[in-house]
Amino acid sequence: MAKQALITGITGQDGYHLAELLHDKGYVVYGLIRGQQNPKKQRVEQEQPYVKLIEADLTDPSSLVYALELSKPDEVYNLAAISHVGYSFKTPQLVADVTAKGALNILEAIRQSRGNKRIRFYQASTSEMFGGLDYNRPGTGYDENALFHPRSPYGVSKLYAHWITKNYRESYGMHASCGILFNHEGPRRGVEFVTRKISNAVARIQLGKQSILELGNLESKRDWGYAGDYVEGMWLMLQQDRPDDYVLATGESHSVKDLLELAFKEIGIDNWKPYVQQNPAFLRPIEVDILLGNPSKAEKKLGWKRKVDFPGLVKMMVQYDIGLESASSQID
Ligand code: NAP
Ligand code: G4F
């Protein structure tokens, strides 16, 4: 019989890629959708008609009980979150409700459900939990045993979700795993994140639809991979006999400036500086200066390895946005 999976965060970047992966593997895919009029619902219905949408919200425990009853999942992937680090400083309590307590809500709904012994659970943990501070620099890369020092309300909330998942695993023997994922991007990334903001602006600049790109901190470094590779790792975690935590990363770190360099080169511009202005509105109260991951455990135990490298990722995103922007007539 086909396996059934429930994905929270179905309208997000990872929800898109994971739904596609599971569908290709023959799963019946359920997706949790929130809001009485979610504008992204139509997108899912058109592009991924095989996804069975269930109206629920991570902050509403009874709706999660209903979602579990309806989907009877073998696997639950908790991808839903308020996931923008900068925004989390503006709505810290909302972020705690959704990103931290939301994880508890769904774990508890699983624990109390009839299928609790069978259901395997994935929690979307993050490299933002590490912090990149001087006393705790990544060295050769943060691994599963590195110290945590989150630097945003988002990171703190994710750390709660990480630990409550481990706690439910240890307390109740649940098959619950955390993927500590470093930044992963692609054409499905929201334009509020720096990679897509840059790829989209570069495409618009090439087409004469935009002249200036405003950004915040250009010095920070991230370990950027491709989202399509990372959802494969999520799935592999839930196929293991024992639940565990794994870092998924590329093992390389690049600055926002490196990203600008490659993205502008893609449209034949060697000097990006005249096109980029710094705007303090995009700075955060504090920053994570550097993230670099060590994916050795996932590579060894799961047989996972990223396929797309950093130049390949930037090229993919810029070319996608050139196609997208060529087809639309909106100008600044
Ligand atoms: P994303 O594009 O921002 O998607 C977030 C999803 O959460 C959206 O589908 C959103 O639905 C949903 N959501 C927000 N509030 C909700 C609520 N109250 N109830 C139910 N759903 C809610 O994020 P992503 O990039 O796909 O990332 C997936 C997960 O991995 C997130 O938990 C993120 O924090 C984590 N993560 C991401 C990265 C990365 O680099 N992408 C790295 C590490 C960890 P709406 O459409 O209704 O807003
Ligand atoms: O693209 P970002 O917003 O991603 P960030 O903060 O690293 O968080 C993403 O990755 C995390 C994993 O490490 C996830 F957990 C999280 O959910 C999210 O997906 O910013 C990347 C860097 C930052 O240093 C930021 O300050 O780019 C810098 N930046 C510079 N100008 C900007 C901008 N970021 C954004 N979003 N917008 C700017 O204009």
Side-chain angles (χ1 to χ4, degrees), residues 83-85 126-128 154 181-183 189 192-195 197 214-218 220 222 224 256 282 284 287-288 291:
S83 76
H84 193 273
V85 174
T126 168
S127 48
E128 271 292 307
Y154 167 77
L181 270 51
F182 283 67
N183 299 52
R189 189 59 145 152
E192 68 273 31
F193 298 96
V194 80
T195 51
K197 186 172 173 182
E214 291 189 346
L215 293 171
N217 181 12
L218 306 185
S220 54
R222 291 289 181 273
W224 277 299
V256 176
F282 298 113
R284 296 160 184 186
E287 179 63 275
V288 172
L291 288 176

mmCIF file of all heavy atoms in Angstrom, residues 83-85 126-128 154 181-183 189 192-195 197 214-218 220 222 224 256 282 284 287-288 291, ligand 2:
data_model
loop_
_atom_site.group_PDB
_atom_site.id
_atom_site.type_symbol
_atom_site.label_atom_id
_atom_site.label_comp_id
_atom_site.label_asym_id
_atom_site.label_seq_id
_atom_site.Cartn_x
_atom_site.Cartn_y
_atom_site.Cartn_z
ATOM 1 N N SER A 83 9.810 31.880 9.017
ATOM 2 C CA SER A 83 11.189 31.449 8.786
ATOM 3 C C SER A 83 12.162 32.578 8.460
ATOM 4 O O SER A 83 13.336 32.323 8.215
ATOM 5 C CB SER A 83 11.203 30.413 7.658
ATOM 6 O OG SER A 83 11.050 31.049 6.406
ATOM 7 N N HIS A 84 11.677 33.824 8.428
ATOM 8 C CA HIS A 84 12.565 34.934 8.070
ATOM 9 C C HIS A 84 13.212 35.516 9.328
ATOM 10 O O HIS A 84 12.524 36.014 10.224
ATOM 11 C CB HIS A 84 11.783 36.025 7.324
ATOM 12 C CG HIS A 84 12.676 37.025 6.662
ATOM 13 N ND1 HIS A 84 13.157 38.140 7.318
ATOM 14 C CD2 HIS A 84 13.202 37.063 5.411
ATOM 15 C CE1 HIS A 84 13.927 38.827 6.489
ATOM 16 N NE2 HIS A 84 13.969 38.195 5.336
ATOM 17 N N VAL A 85 14.533 35.449 9.370
ATOM 18 C CA VAL A 85 15.274 35.848 10.566
ATOM 19 C C VAL A 85 15.038 37.323 10.892
ATOM 20 O O VAL A 85 14.752 37.696 12.039
ATOM 21 C CB VAL A 85 16.777 35.554 10.380
ATOM 22 C CG1 VAL A 85 17.588 36.101 11.546
ATOM 23 C CG2 VAL A 85 17.007 34.059 10.209
ATOM 24 N N THR A 126 17.637 24.166 12.200
ATOM 25 C CA THR A 126 18.366 25.122 11.356
ATOM 26 C C THR A 126 19.762 25.452 11.864
ATOM 27 O O THR A 126 20.011 25.484 13.079
ATOM 28 C CB THR A 126 17.571 26.438 11.248
ATOM 29 O OG1 THR A 126 18.405 27.443 10.664
ATOM 30 C CG2 THR A 126 17.129 26.952 12.611
ATOM 31 N N SER A 127 20.634 25.791 10.932
ATOM 32 C CA SER A 127 21.977 26.260 11.265
ATOM 33 C C SER A 127 21.956 27.584 12.029
ATOM 34 O O SER A 127 22.956 27.950 12.653
ATOM 35 C CB SER A 127 22.795 26.419 9.981
ATOM 36 O OG SER A 127 22.067 27.121 9.000
ATOM 37 N N GLU A 128 20.818 28.297 11.978
ATOM 38 C CA GLU A 128 20.701 29.548 12.757
ATOM 39 C C GLU A 128 20.844 29.277 14.249
ATOM 40 O O GLU A 128 21.022 30.201 15.037
ATOM 41 C CB GLU A 128 19.329 30.196 12.493
ATOM 42 C CG GLU A 128 19.294 31.142 11.326
ATOM 43 C CD GLU A 128 20.096 32.418 11.544
ATOM 44 O OE1 GLU A 128 19.879 33.089 12.555
ATOM 45 O OE2 GLU A 128 20.944 32.731 10.703
ATOM 46 N N TYR A 154 13.946 33.978 15.960
ATOM 47 C CA TYR A 154 13.736 32.787 15.126
ATOM 48 C C TYR A 154 14.647 31.645 15.593
ATOM 49 O O TYR A 154 14.195 30.517 15.813
ATOM 50 C CB TYR A 154 14.030 33.139 13.660
ATOM 51 C CG TYR A 154 14.156 31.943 12.752
ATOM 52 C CD1 TYR A 154 13.033 31.254 12.312
ATOM 53 C CD2 TYR A 154 15.417 31.494 12.329
ATOM 54 C CE1 TYR A 154 13.162 30.141 11.468
ATOM 55 C CE2 TYR A 154 15.548 30.388 11.490
ATOM 56 C CZ TYR A 154 14.412 29.730 11.067
ATOM 57 O OH TYR A 154 14.535 28.631 10.238
ATOM 58 N N LEU A 181 19.514 21.966 9.001
ATOM 59 C CA LEU A 181 19.827 22.314 7.613
ATOM 60 C C LEU A 181 20.434 23.712 7.503
ATOM 61 O O LEU A 181 19.918 24.679 8.089
ATOM 62 C CB LEU A 181 18.565 22.213 6.747
ATOM 63 C CG LEU A 181 18.324 20.825 6.117
ATOM 64 C CD1 LEU A 181 18.393 19.696 7.141
ATOM 65 C CD2 LEU A 181 17.033 20.789 5.344
ATOM 66 N N PHE A 182 21.516 23.786 6.749
ATOM 67 C CA PHE A 182 22.104 25.079 6.413
ATOM 68 C C PHE A 182 21.297 25.653 5.249
ATOM 69 O O PHE A 182 20.478 24.963 4.645
ATOM 70 C CB PHE A 182 23.593 24.899 6.106
ATOM 71 C CG PHE A 182 24.389 24.722 7.386
ATOM 72 C CD1 PHE A 182 24.234 23.589 8.166
ATOM 73 C CD2 PHE A 182 25.245 25.721 7.831
ATOM 74 C CE1 PHE A 182 24.910 23.439 9.372
ATOM 75 C CE2 PHE A 182 25.942 25.577 9.036
ATOM 76 C CZ PHE A 182 25.777 24.439 9.807
ATOM 77 N N ASN A 183 21.541 26.932 4.964
ATOM 78 C CA ASN A 183 20.710 27.641 3.966
ATOM 79 C C ASN A 183 20.600 26.843 2.675
ATOM 80 O O ASN A 183 21.614 26.435 2.107
ATOM 81 C CB ASN A 183 21.317 29.005 3.640
ATOM 82 C CG ASN A 183 21.412 29.917 4.837
ATOM 83 O OD1 ASN A 183 21.952 29.521 5.878
ATOM 84 N ND2 ASN A 183 20.914 31.124 4.712
ATOM 85 N N ARG A 189 12.541 29.843 -3.814
ATOM 86 C CA ARG A 189 12.832 30.617 -2.612
ATOM 87 C C ARG A 189 12.011 31.905 -2.620
ATOM 88 O O ARG A 189 11.842 32.548 -3.676
ATOM 89 C CB ARG A 189 14.324 30.952 -2.623
ATOM 90 C CG ARG A 189 14.884 31.559 -1.365
ATOM 91 C CD ARG A 189 14.715 30.690 -0.178
ATOM 92 N NE ARG A 189 15.826 30.780 0.757
ATOM 93 C CZ ARG A 189 15.693 30.558 2.053
ATOM 94 N NH1 ARG A 189 14.528 30.237 2.582
ATOM 95 N NH2 ARG A 189 16.745 30.625 2.853
ATOM 96 N N GLU A 192 11.985 37.439 -0.291
ATOM 97 C CA GLU A 192 12.429 38.150 0.905
ATOM 98 C C GLU A 192 13.786 37.639 1.399
ATOM 99 O O GLU A 192 14.379 38.221 2.303
ATOM 100 C CB GLU A 192 11.363 38.085 2.013
ATOM 101 C CG GLU A 192 11.115 36.710 2.644
ATOM 102 C CD GLU A 192 10.085 35.856 1.882
ATOM 103 O OE1 GLU A 192 9.982 35.981 0.653
ATOM 104 O OE2 GLU A 192 9.420 35.034 2.544
ATOM 105 N N PHE A 193 14.270 36.537 0.840
ATOM 106 C CA PHE A 193 15.571 35.996 1.238
ATOM 107 C C PHE A 193 16.642 36.480 0.257
ATOM 108 O O PHE A 193 16.360 36.716 -0.922
ATOM 109 C CB PHE A 193 15.521 34.462 1.274
ATOM 110 C CG PHE A 193 14.535 33.953 2.292
ATOM 111 C CD1 PHE A 193 13.240 33.610 1.915
ATOM 112 C CD2 PHE A 193 14.877 33.856 3.631
ATOM 113 C CE1 PHE A 193 12.314 33.174 2.851
ATOM 114 C CE2 PHE A 193 13.952 33.421 4.582
ATOM 115 C CZ PHE A 193 12.670 33.081 4.181
ATOM 116 N N VAL A 194 17.873 36.592 0.740
ATOM 117 C CA VAL A 194 18.856 37.360 -0.018
ATOM 118 C C VAL A 194 19.203 36.747 -1.379
ATOM 119 O O VAL A 194 19.402 37.471 -2.355
ATOM 120 C CB VAL A 194 20.116 37.643 0.839
ATOM 121 C CG1 VAL A 194 21.061 36.443 0.899
ATOM 122 C CG2 VAL A 194 20.846 38.872 0.340
ATOM 123 N N THR A 195 19.277 35.421 -1.467
ATOM 124 C CA THR A 195 19.656 34.809 -2.754
ATOM 125 C C THR A 195 18.641 35.152 -3.839
ATOM 126 O O THR A 195 18.995 35.582 -4.932
ATOM 127 C CB THR A 195 19.735 33.271 -2.634
ATOM 128 O OG1 THR A 195 18.512 32.807 -2.046
ATOM 129 C CG2 THR A 195 20.931 32.831 -1.816
ATOM 130 N N LYS A 197 16.330 37.482 -3.713
ATOM 131 C CA LYS A 197 16.225 38.933 -3.899
ATOM 132 C C LYS A 197 17.263 39.370 -4.928
ATOM 133 O O LYS A 197 16.987 40.183 -5.825
ATOM 134 C CB LYS A 197 16.449 39.633 -2.546
ATOM 135 C CG LYS A 197 16.225 41.121 -2.571
ATOM 136 C CD LYS A 197 16.277 41.691 -1.151
ATOM 137 C CE LYS A 197 16.231 43.196 -1.167
ATOM 138 N NZ LYS A 197 16.323 43.774 0.192
ATOM 139 N N GLU A 214 18.745 47.274 -3.316
ATOM 140 C CA GLU A 214 19.065 47.695 -1.941
ATOM 141 C C GLU A 214 19.191 46.476 -1.045
ATOM 142 O O GLU A 214 18.290 45.639 -0.989
ATOM 143 C CB GLU A 214 17.967 48.616 -1.404
ATOM 144 C CG GLU A 214 17.937 49.964 -2.092
ATOM 145 C CD GLU A 214 16.995 50.939 -1.407
ATOM 146 O OE1 GLU A 214 16.172 50.497 -0.580
ATOM 147 O OE2 GLU A 214 17.083 52.140 -1.707
ATOM 148 N N LEU A 215 20.321 46.425 -0.340
ATOM 149 C CA LEU A 215 20.590 45.280 0.536
ATOM 150 C C LEU A 215 21.067 45.750 1.899
ATOM 151 O O LEU A 215 21.378 46.930 2.091
ATOM 152 C CB LEU A 215 21.663 44.381 -0.088
ATOM 153 C CG LEU A 215 21.295 43.636 -1.375
ATOM 154 C CD1 LEU A 215 22.536 42.976 -1.972
ATOM 155 C CD2 LEU A 215 20.205 42.596 -1.125
ATOM 156 N N GLY A 216 21.172 44.801 2.832
ATOM 157 C CA GLY A 216 21.705 45.096 4.168
ATOM 158 C C GLY A 216 23.183 44.724 4.238
ATOM 159 O O GLY A 216 24.007 45.280 3.509
ATOM 160 N N ASN A 217 23.502 43.766 5.112
ATOM 161 C CA ASN A 217 24.892 43.376 5.361
ATOM 162 C C ASN A 217 25.457 42.530 4.212
ATOM 163 O O ASN A 217 24.948 41.456 3.916
ATOM 164 C CB ASN A 217 24.910 42.571 6.675
ATOM 165 C CG ASN A 217 26.295 42.123 7.060
ATOM 166 O OD1 ASN A 217 27.284 42.578 6.489
ATOM 167 N ND2 ASN A 217 26.363 41.235 8.029
ATOM 168 N N LEU A 218 26.523 43.018 3.592
ATOM 169 C CA LEU A 218 27.112 42.302 2.460
ATOM 170 C C LEU A 218 28.262 41.385 2.877
ATOM 171 O O LEU A 218 28.803 40.634 2.070
ATOM 172 C CB LEU A 218 27.642 43.291 1.408
ATOM 173 C CG LEU A 218 26.667 44.352 0.887
ATOM 174 C CD1 LEU A 218 27.315 45.160 -0.228
ATOM 175 C CD2 LEU A 218 25.381 43.700 0.385
ATOM 176 N N SER A 220 28.291 39.121 5.498
ATOM 177 C CA SER A 220 27.991 37.837 6.150
ATOM 178 C C SER A 220 28.195 36.688 5.171
ATOM 179 O O SER A 220 28.063 36.842 3.949
ATOM 180 C CB SER A 220 26.585 37.832 6.727
ATOM 181 O OG SER A 220 25.668 38.175 5.732
ATOM 182 N N ARG A 222 27.407 32.505 4.261
ATOM 183 C CA ARG A 222 26.475 31.402 4.469
ATOM 184 C C ARG A 222 26.936 30.178 3.691
ATOM 185 O O ARG A 222 27.619 30.285 2.673
ATOM 186 C CB ARG A 222 25.060 31.784 3.983
ATOM 187 C CG ARG A 222 24.367 32.863 4.830
ATOM 188 C CD ARG A 222 23.970 32.328 6.192
ATOM 189 N NE ARG A 222 23.282 33.325 7.029
ATOM 190 C CZ ARG A 222 23.897 34.192 7.828
ATOM 191 N NH1 ARG A 222 25.218 34.228 7.891
ATOM 192 N NH2 ARG A 222 23.195 35.024 8.579
ATOM 193 N N TRP A 224 25.505 27.897 1.392
ATOM 194 C CA TRP A 224 24.309 27.866 0.546
ATOM 195 C C TRP A 224 24.270 26.628 -0.340
ATOM 196 O O TRP A 224 25.177 26.422 -1.163
ATOM 197 C CB TRP A 224 24.276 29.097 -0.371
ATOM 198 C CG TRP A 224 23.734 30.350 0.228
ATOM 199 C CD1 TRP A 224 22.473 30.558 0.723
ATOM 200 C CD2 TRP A 224 24.413 31.618 0.355
ATOM 201 N NE1 TRP A 224 22.335 31.861 1.156
ATOM 202 C CE2 TRP A 224 23.508 32.535 0.939
ATOM 203 C CE3 TRP A 224 25.690 32.060 0.031
ATOM 204 C CZ2 TRP A 224 23.830 33.861 1.201
ATOM 205 C CZ3 TRP A 224 26.021 33.388 0.303
ATOM 206 C CH2 TRP A 224 25.101 34.262 0.883
ATOM 207 N N VAL A 256 27.823 37.360 0.940
ATOM 208 C CA VAL A 256 26.800 37.981 0.090
ATOM 209 C C VAL A 256 27.499 38.647 -1.105
ATOM 210 O O VAL A 256 26.991 38.613 -2.229
ATOM 211 C CB VAL A 256 25.959 38.996 0.901
ATOM 212 C CG1 VAL A 256 24.963 39.721 0.007
ATOM 213 C CG2 VAL A 256 25.234 38.302 2.054
ATOM 214 N N PHE A 282 17.521 46.964 5.995
ATOM 215 C CA PHE A 282 17.709 45.519 5.823
ATOM 216 C C PHE A 282 18.779 44.938 6.752
ATOM 217 O O PHE A 282 19.140 43.768 6.629
ATOM 218 C CB PHE A 282 18.036 45.194 4.356
ATOM 219 C CG PHE A 282 16.916 45.572 3.422
ATOM 220 C CD1 PHE A 282 17.074 46.594 2.492
ATOM 221 C CD2 PHE A 282 15.685 44.943 3.515
ATOM 222 C CE1 PHE A 282 16.036 46.962 1.651
ATOM 223 C CE2 PHE A 282 14.632 45.305 2.681
ATOM 224 C CZ PHE A 282 14.808 46.323 1.745
ATOM 225 N N ARG A 284 19.989 43.770 10.558
ATOM 226 C CA ARG A 284 19.326 43.165 11.719
ATOM 227 C C ARG A 284 19.958 43.688 13.004
ATOM 228 O O ARG A 284 21.125 44.109 12.978
ATOM 229 C CB ARG A 284 19.467 41.645 11.642
ATOM 230 C CG ARG A 284 18.744 41.112 10.419
ATOM 231 C CD ARG A 284 19.184 39.752 9.980
ATOM 232 N NE ARG A 284 18.471 39.438 8.739
ATOM 233 C CZ ARG A 284 18.519 38.287 8.112
ATOM 234 N NH1 ARG A 284 19.240 37.304 8.603
ATOM 235 N NH2 ARG A 284 17.845 38.102 6.997
ATOM 236 N N GLU A 287 23.725 40.084 13.974
ATOM 237 C CA GLU A 287 23.912 39.273 12.767
ATOM 238 C C GLU A 287 24.611 37.960 13.119
ATOM 239 O O GLU A 287 25.347 37.874 14.105
ATOM 240 C CB GLU A 287 24.768 40.095 11.771
ATOM 241 C CG GLU A 287 25.102 39.448 10.451
ATOM 242 C CD GLU A 287 23.888 39.131 9.561
ATOM 243 O OE1 GLU A 287 23.298 38.064 9.770
ATOM 244 O OE2 GLU A 287 23.568 39.944 8.663
ATOM 245 N N VAL A 288 24.342 36.940 12.341
ATOM 246 C CA VAL A 288 25.173 35.728 12.351
ATOM 247 C C VAL A 288 26.191 35.941 11.234
ATOM 248 O O VAL A 288 25.830 35.944 10.055
ATOM 249 C CB VAL A 288 24.312 34.467 12.088
ATOM 250 C CG1 VAL A 288 25.194 33.243 11.892
ATOM 251 C CG2 VAL A 288 23.326 34.252 13.231
ATOM 252 N N LEU A 291 28.284 31.098 8.694
ATOM 253 C CA LEU A 291 27.774 29.737 8.881
ATOM 254 C C LEU A 291 28.498 28.810 7.908
ATOM 255 O O LEU A 291 28.673 29.148 6.727
ATOM 256 C CB LEU A 291 26.267 29.674 8.641
ATOM 257 C CG LEU A 291 25.389 30.304 9.718
ATOM 258 C CD1 LEU A 291 23.927 30.261 9.319
ATOM 259 C CD2 LEU A 291 25.601 29.641 11.079
HETATM 260 O O1 G4F B 2 18.653 35.072 3.028
HETATM 261 P P1 G4F B 2 18.637 35.418 4.462
HETATM 262 O O2 G4F B 2 17.480 36.196 4.951
HETATM 263 O O3 G4F B 2 18.801 34.046 5.240
HETATM 264 P P2 G4F B 2 19.227 33.706 6.749
HETATM 265 O O4 G4F B 2 19.061 34.864 7.643
HETATM 266 O O5 G4F B 2 20.580 33.097 6.699
HETATM 267 O O6 G4F B 2 18.128 32.615 7.146
HETATM 268 C C1 G4F B 2 17.761 31.585 6.238
HETATM 269 O O7 G4F B 2 18.600 30.469 6.467
HETATM 270 C C2 G4F B 2 18.466 29.867 7.763
HETATM 271 C C3 G4F B 2 19.459 28.701 7.827
HETATM 272 O O8 G4F B 2 20.719 29.171 8.218
HETATM 273 C C4 G4F B 2 17.041 29.404 7.918
HETATM 274 F F1 G4F B 2 16.888 28.758 9.114
HETATM 275 C C5 G4F B 2 16.100 30.587 7.828
HETATM 276 O O9 G4F B 2 14.761 30.131 7.931
HETATM 277 C C6 G4F B 2 16.299 31.257 6.483
HETATM 278 O O10 G4F B 2 15.846 30.354 5.489
HETATM 279 O O11 G4F B 2 19.953 36.224 4.832
HETATM 280 C C7 G4F B 2 21.245 35.721 4.547
HETATM 281 C C8 G4F B 2 22.267 36.805 4.840
HETATM 282 C C9 G4F B 2 22.104 37.444 6.220
HETATM 283 O O12 G4F B 2 23.355 37.617 6.799
HETATM 284 C C10 G4F B 2 21.456 38.784 5.930
HETATM 285 O O13 G4F B 2 21.747 39.788 6.897
HETATM 286 O O14 G4F B 2 22.101 37.869 3.896
HETATM 287 C C11 G4F B 2 22.113 39.097 4.607
HETATM 288 N N1 G4F B 2 21.386 40.124 3.831
HETATM 289 C C12 G4F B 2 21.953 41.255 3.308
HETATM 290 N N2 G4F B 2 21.005 41.991 2.700
HETATM 291 C C13 G4F B 2 20.067 40.128 3.546
HETATM 292 C C14 G4F B 2 19.836 41.320 2.832
HETATM 293 N N3 G4F B 2 19.084 39.241 3.815
HETATM 294 C C15 G4F B 2 17.836 39.533 3.368
HETATM 295 N N4 G4F B 2 16.853 38.633 3.627
HETATM 296 N N5 G4F B 2 17.557 40.702 2.690
HETATM 297 C C16 G4F B 2 18.517 41.627 2.391
HETATM 298 O O15 G4F B 2 18.237 42.654 1.787
#
